[in-house]
Amino acid sequence: MRNLFIRFKEEGELLRELEENRFYFLCEAEENVQKVRKRLSREKRMVEPKAFECWIDGKQLVITQVFFEKEQSLEKQLETTILNFEGWEEEIRHKYANKLREYADLERQLFLNKEFQSFAIRMDQILGRSDVTPFPLLLDIQQLKQLFDGFYVHVSNGFFSELEEIVNTLKAAYRAVINKVLLDNESQKNDLKDAVLGWLSIESHFQEFIQYATANYRSIPKTRLEALFIRFLPYQKIESHLFTDYAEEQGFEKAYDLHVNLVYELSEKYDEILFTGFVLDTNEVIESLVFSPVISSYWKKVRDIDGSEQKSHLSEH
């Protein structure tokens, strides 16, 4: 969970620069508020203050307003609000004011790298919105820096030109993590968010996420698996057997279910390898490490169900 973010409330005038379903970095929110101020100045008009929330360490700490006719920064306004909040003891007020300064300073320091800043904001625009399903991915800024560093060493054509492909790769990695958590923990949908965030909070698991994402960036996309395995001769043999001899003996429905499971396990094997950080960058590597072992195991399943090891047409060679 991100240590610090800003979220604008839905009340008041809708301002195109301040999306209400975003969880903004403080620097980005500051910049966008300045854009609003400049636009309103050009248009020679005023609008009502815009309410916003400040979240620190996963807790909604402050709800306050930004006044566009004033030049005070959001950070300064938040610090003043925290230090003047009468509902807290003085020690608590200073504790949160210090946290705000610490997290804001770290964010500003990391955002001096404009490539990282663009990466962090673009990832948040795609995966950090409140309408992301099944739930947004709000990684801590230091975790984002680890992800960025993992990709950066492999970028050869200019980072900004590769940014959209990198973010799309991260979307695929996020889905793979969700599937992995579901498979490993048999989590129910109502506690899936806690299970996924708990999984990612473990450093070794987060490294697996980085390994998957960066390996996927350099691999043949998962979306191309079907186009590859339908041309793979051992797959053609088992598919032919399932929907001819096996379907006649065991029924089409059982043959269909086995085929669906086969395709699913090919996908799972692909994910399993990428989580180790191994790159699947050629058809031959995918055939050897993904298709062959899974299809071989399915011949064994079919034989077990048939109850006969003697049928010559079950040969996988």
Side-chain angles (χ1 to χ4, degrees), residues 150-194:
F151 280 106
Y152 197 77
V153 296
H154 301 296
V155 172
S156 57
N157 297 322
F159 184 81
F160 291 108
S161 65
E162 297 290 318
L163 183 54
E164 287 306 306
E165 183 179 348
I166 288 170
V167 172
N168 286 331
T169 297
L170 282 165
K171 288 170 63 177
Y174 180 42
R175 287 193 298 269
V177 166
I178 291 172
N179 291 336
K180 181 176 179 61
V181 171
L182 282 169
L183 185 65
D184 291 350
N185 300 304
E186 298 182 351
S187 303
Q188 299 300 313
K189 188 173 183 180
N190 58 356
D191 66 352
L192 178 60
K193 179 177 180 180
D194 289 342

Side-chain angles (χ1 to χ4, degrees), residues 73-108:
S73 69
L74 298 184
E75 182 181 352
K76 184 62 178 176
Q77 182 176 336
L78 285 168
E79 183 178 346
T80 301
T81 303
I82 290 170
L83 291 174
N84 293 332
F85 184 56
E86 296 181 355
W88 290 335
E89 298 287 339
E90 183 176 359
E91 181 181 352
I92 299 298
R93 293 199 297 267
H94 284 284
K95 170 188 171 182
Y96 283 122
N98 289 335
K99 278 183 173 286
L100 174 65
R101 285 192 290 268
E102 175 190 345
Y103 295 151
D105 286 345
L106 175 62
E107 186 181 296
R108 277 191 293 271

Side-chain angles (χ1 to χ4, degrees), residues 24-163:
Y24 282 100
F25 297 99
L26 179 60
C27 291
E28 184 188 7
E30 295 275 23
E31 183 177 336
N32 286 5
V33 165
Q34 286 303 316
K35 290 178 181 177
V36 174
R37 286 177 171 145
K38 290 178 181 178
R39 179 167 63 83
L40 293 177
S41 177
R42 289 195 307 270
E43 295 171 358
K44 295 181 171 54
R45 68 185 184 96
M46 297 177 62
V47 297
E48 292 295 316
K50 187 71 171 175
F52 68 95
E53 305 167 350
C54 174
W55 289 67
I56 291 180
D57 293 337
K59 178 181 179 181
Q60 185 191 88
L61 195 67
V62 171
I63 300 178
T64 185
Q65 294 178 313
V66 55
F67 295 84
F68 297 107
E69 68 275 13
K70 298 180 180 180
E71 287 299 324
Q72 187 180 43
S73 69
L74 298 184
E75 182 181 352
K76 184 62 178 176
Q77 182 176 336
L78 285 168
E79 183 178 346
T80 301
T81 303
I82 290 170
L83 291 174
N84 293 332
F85 184 56
E86 296 181 355
W88 290 335
E89 298 287 339
E90 183 176 359
E91 181 181 352
I92 299 298
R93 293 199 297 267
H94 284 284
K95 170 188 171 182
Y96 283 122
N98 289 335
K99 278 183 173 286
L100 174 65
R101 285 192 290 268
E102 175 190 345
Y103 295 151
D105 286 345
L106 175 62
E107 186 181 296
R108 277 191 293 271
Q109 178 185 347
L110 291 175
F111 276 12
L112 289 174
N113 181 332
K114 294 305 178 184
E115 290 172 320
F116 172 67
Q117 181 183 29
S118 297
F119 167 81
I121 290 174
R122 187 56 181 154
M123 182 173 172
D124 189 69
Q125 288 172 336
I126 300 301
L127 289 176
R129 302 166 62 93
S130 62
D131 54 0
V132 169
T133 56
F135 47 85
L137 180 62
L138 298 177
L139 295 177
D140 178 68
I141 195 167
Q142 291 174 309
Q143 290 180 313
L144 285 169
K145 185 61 165 60
Q146 288 184 62
L147 267 176
F148 170 82
D149 290 342
F151 280 106
Y152 197 77
V153 296
H154 301 296
V155 172
S156 57
N157 297 322
F159 184 81
F160 291 108
S161 65
E162 297 290 318
L163 183 54

Side-chain angles (χ1 to χ4, degrees), residues 180 208 211-212 215-216 219 265-281 285-291 293-294:
K180 181 176 179 61
E208 287 185 52
Q211 288 172 175
Y212 185 104
N216 192 17
S219 294
E265 289 201 18
L266 291 171
S267 174
E268 288 298 299
K269 187 66 174 178
Y270 176 93
D271 286 344
E272 176 188 320
I273 292 171
L274 290 195
F275 273 116
T276 70
F278 193 89
V279 177
L280 300 170
D281 55 353
V285 168
I286 289 180
E287 290 174 358
S288 174
L289 299 183
V290 178
F291 298 164
V294 172

